[in-house]
Amino acid sequence: MARVLTAVLAAVAVSSAFPRTEAVLTAPNALDLRITTNMTSVIPSTLYGYMWEDINHSGDGGLYAELLQNRAFQGVLPGTQNALNAWQPYNGARLSVTDKTSGVTSALPNSLQVQFPKTVFGPIGFENTGYWGIKVQAGWTYNGSFYAKSDTLTGCITASLRSTTGTTFATATIKGISSEWQKFTFQFEPKTSAPDTNNVFHVEVNGPEAAGQTIYFGMFSLCPPTYLGRENGMRIDLAEALASTRPSVWRFPGGNNLEGESWAERWKWNETIGPIENRPGRVGDWGYPNTDGLGLLEYLNWAEDIGAEPILGIWSGTSIGNYSDLPTWPIVPEADLQPYIDDAINEIEFITADANSSEWGALRAKYGRVQPYQLRYIEVGNEDQFQPESYAGYRWKAFTSAIGERFPDLQFIATTYPSTALDPPYMKIDYHQYADLTWFENAAFMFDNYPRNGTQYFVGEYAVTSTNASDYLGTLDTGRLAYPSLAGAAAEAAFMTGMERNSDVVFASAYAPSLQHIRSYSWTPDLITYDAGGIVRSTSYYVQQMFSVNRGTHVLVTTPPSTNDTAPLYWVASHNNETNLVFLKVANTGPDDLVAYLHFDFNVTSLFGTAVQISSPVLSPLTGQFNITNTLEEPENIIPASSSFSIPYPDRYNYTFPATSVTILAFEAAGIGS
Ligand code: AHR
């Protein structure tokens, strides 16, 4: 039996061409939700977006289109088996990673040494297994390259894309190897698609000719077509999926991956720019080396391409190694901080300075981007609530005052708890929350009473991670979600109605983490999961997309959801003053359908509205049904359904919001904002 609510939307300015209906539609158990009509607020253009860092192979092996894993032996120890990750010999070649011969560049000291036995029959060589497979697609052009040298061997090298069972899809022949490093480029244009991703990048030479000899290889690359055709760009399916949610902020480069395990291992912007051969890569914070092929410029271009505003995190003098009770790495003392402040200033100058009058601007132009990037927000550190004494004591002040003096238009975002007093006081603060469903539902109202004193929130990381409040970052056994669930997404949507309703104080938000390679990850749940061949959009993805794409310009004041009823229905209404569309975003987090009677202080001018909704396909409220997820095996358990509905009166209608669902209603209106 559906419960019945009466919800009433109101606009500040009311002008009605229709006779006003006095009656409030009722039902036996109708709940009375009253109107307030006295204010609207502007919805900032930055409200929805993502937090980004290389975690779960989200960059290398994910959004970064490069297909070869461990392509330049970065961040590995020469001579170890681990250094050969993703490489395997073919027909008895001996492989090792060495720094005993000069590398391709000083940034890349490690090379692949390939030794051939004295007696060889047939072709011999090695293979790269990609990021747990390689997608071979007919019609695509794959741009490949590698560096090679040999003191003795001068014959041909054959590179190919082939299946693990020996089917060859494309081949290229490379000639002219000599004792000096040379870069060889080639293209693959497979005529047929492989049936699966069990494919490798295969390199071979003629065995009898090569017997007893050695070749060195360095900096391989194999790149399929990229998003918008950008060189060194993004994997198309993942990029399109993210772009189609129209995110408006892109917080990068982390997260913990900004911080490093130690000072030396922090994300260093100046080692992520220029030719990929000049990028040394780094150990990374999430269990695998980062190539830094996705570097500062790639991120800025990407943000621009998808229309998102960058929120740039700068290293604030502390590393992950400082977090534990027994810190392995200290916080940078005040007296030693200046070089890191200078480094951040150089980074900002590189991003924003004129190419003709600044050395850093000129370097940016040399690397292909003459026009400065737009940059408004600098986030000082990441989660410095874990080191509040030094942050409040000197780090926040040192970074913000020096950078602010040089770039007075920049706005700074603090990363401590809101209760920590900072000097100078923060005006914007990044607040993170990973929690269970109930927390998110309750927090739908956390911003309603936030003081309107000029300070604003950036909800810079958030996600429902668990069904269990006491172990929300625990294991799958204790309730941690493997994938976002329908119930979790509905709880996130409830929270998001609160962010949007209070978007005068919540100026931006960023779901996290964004991406997960199903074959190697350390954090669940994630917005999009994928393997070498395909992707799955989660329930949380669809909520992000629904909220982001259907944006108003102003919040419309509604009866506050919290004060009228304990029914688990959460909503926010907005108006877009360019399209005259009203959006009503509603999350029903409960196990029952809920009917809302809606009426308005303005006139609906369309006879029909449109609804987009995610809800459970299972109608009976069986235990656990709402924990339904989309997976790589079953990617479409929950996908948004669109429909139209009639609006019989210009000022009211009713609507049934299904159990555990997220719905956005849109309809045209007159008399709002006029
Ligand atoms: O999003 C995963 C991690 O959670 C981020 O790196 C960190 O900022 C947070 O603790």
Side-chain angles (χ1 to χ4, degrees), residues 51 53 55 251 254-257 259 286 382-383 386 432 434 461 512-513 523:
M51 177 274 196
E53 67 180 329
I55 180 174
R251 173 183 169 225
N256 293 152
N257 208 38
E259 296 172 73
W286 291 105
N382 175 61
E383 296 191 339
F386 294 120
H432 295 175
Y434 299 104
E461 292 182 29
W523 188 287

Side-chain angles (χ1 to χ4, degrees), residues 38-61:
N38 58 353
M39 68 171 278
T40 62
S41 63
V42 173
I43 298 176
S45 62
T46 44
L47 190 55
Y48 297 116
Y50 301 119
M51 177 274 196
W52 177 265
E53 67 180 329
D54 208 324
I55 180 174
N56 303 326
H57 280 280
S58 57
D60 290 327

